[in-house]
Amino acid sequence: MLLKDYSLAPLRGGKPQRVAVFLHGVGDRGDGGLLAIGQMLQHDFPDCEFICPDAPFPYDMAPPEFGGRQWFSLQSRDASAIAMGVRAAAPILNAYLDNILKNRDLTPDKMALIGFSQGTMMSLYVAPRRSQPIAAVIGYSGCLIDGGSLQTEKRCSPPILLVHGLCDDVVPHALMSEAVRELSAAGLATETFSCPQLAHSIDEAGIARGRAFLKQKFIGL
């Protein structure tokens, strides 16, 4: 399955030397708000291409004309149903990421994944199960799905930053601590950043922390 995507070319022009892929939340699209964060980061990473794909499936909790997309259905909030949905979407996302690297002649250490909500869930599932580690995973307002299988299925250890609002009533902040415990048990180094008074969203402080993390992992600053 080919994913439609939207991109910001490197500010300095020419072939990208690295790529940051944004994975949006349920009901959003690749041309939604996440790509605006890429615009905020372009001056810090002028050789980076920022890309945001549409999730592979139509959002199934709104009329078709709404046009939203989803990585997996949330009609059932049962943990096993959600895990099944994530596992079904993982090969689609992996193929998409492989294609990006191949088409731009980049190695995995030149790629970062930045997710929000469902996009974070997909990022945390896919990245440690890839054959080679990517440069960074940044997860906003998400959680770890099927963490119990991670210790046996992990193939690499990408550095991870989790950012979460303390007032999130959609994906509770407590799930970040739970994710850290399971990621750490699987040998994955994970940093965290909590945003006071923030609900299910991304604020300037979270973006600034993500920028610093990318600088460290992309260019060693």
Side-chain angles (χ1 to χ4, degrees), residues 173-190:
H173 179 269
L175 292 178
M176 182 173 75
S177 298
E178 182 179 314
V180 170
R181 286 195 298 272
E182 294 183 312
L183 291 166
S184 298
L188 288 154
T190 306

Side-chain angles (χ1 to χ4, degrees), residues 108-221:
D109 62 311
K110 302 300 182 183
M111 171 181 279
L113 270 181
I114 305 171
F116 173 73
S117 196
Q118 261 201 5
T120 291
M121 299 173 198
M122 292 302 306
S123 299
L124 293 178
Y125 185 87
V126 164
R129 291 171 171 84
R130 290 177 63 82
S131 60
Q132 294 179 280
I134 60 175
V137 177
I138 302 177
Y140 290 97
S141 305
C143 64
L144 182 67
I145 302 298
D146 199 16
S149 67
L150 190 55
Q151 292 192 46
T152 56
E153 295 180 0
K154 187 194 78 168
R155 302 177 67 194
C156 67
S157 299
I160 297 169
L161 169 67
L162 300 181
V163 181
H164 215 121
L166 283 168
C167 299
D168 193 332
D169 59 355
V170 177
V171 181
H173 179 269
L175 292 178
M176 182 173 75
S177 298
E178 182 179 314
V180 170
R181 286 195 298 272
E182 294 183 312
L183 291 166
S184 298
L188 288 154
T190 306
E191 300 179 28
T192 64
F193 185 78
S194 297
C195 302
Q197 301 180 347
L198 181 69
H200 193 62
S201 186
I202 303 173
D203 64 6
E204 291 184 5
I207 293 171
R209 183 64 186 90
R211 177 188 289 113
F213 190 73
L214 276 184
K215 283 184 175 180
Q216 179 186 11
K217 303 307 178 184
F218 260 164
I219 51 183
L221 297 179

Side-chain angles (χ1 to χ4, degrees), residues 16-167:
Q17 300 303 305
R18 62 196 85 237
V19 62
V21 181
F22 292 94
L23 303 182
H24 66 73
V26 65
D28 202 354
R29 292 169 52 93
D31 58 353
L34 277 188
L35 206 55
I37 297 176
Q39 293 176 318
M40 299 171 67
L41 298 175
Q42 280 187 298
H43 288 281
D44 297 281
F45 308 95
D47 63 352
C48 182
E49 181 181 5
F50 295 89
I51 308 173
C52 191
D54 283 345
F57 307 113
Y59 182 43
D60 62 6
M61 297 176 70
E65 57 267 25
F66 176 74
R69 310 293 295 181
Q70 65 187 26
W71 295 96
F72 52 90
S73 177
L74 290 176
Q75 289 199 19
S76 170
R77 301 301 177 100
D78 179 78
S80 62
I82 290 176
M84 185 180 300
V86 171
R87 286 194 294 268
I92 300 171
L93 177 56
N94 267 316
Y96 173 76
L97 298 177
D98 289 343
N99 194 55
I100 286 177
L101 293 174
K102 179 181 179 181
N103 288 346
R104 290 155 181 79
D105 194 26
L106 295 174
T107 52
D109 62 311
K110 302 300 182 183
M111 171 181 279
L113 270 181
I114 305 171
F116 173 73
S117 196
Q118 261 201 5
T120 291
M121 299 173 198
M122 292 302 306
S123 299
L124 293 178
Y125 185 87
V126 164
R129 291 171 171 84
R130 290 177 63 82
S131 60
Q132 294 179 280
I134 60 175
V137 177
I138 302 177
Y140 290 97
S141 305
C143 64
L144 182 67
I145 302 298
D146 199 16
S149 67
L150 190 55
Q151 292 192 46
T152 56
E153 295 180 0
K154 187 194 78 168
R155 302 177 67 194
C156 67
S157 299
I160 297 169
L161 169 67
L162 300 181
V163 181
H164 215 121
L166 283 168
C167 299

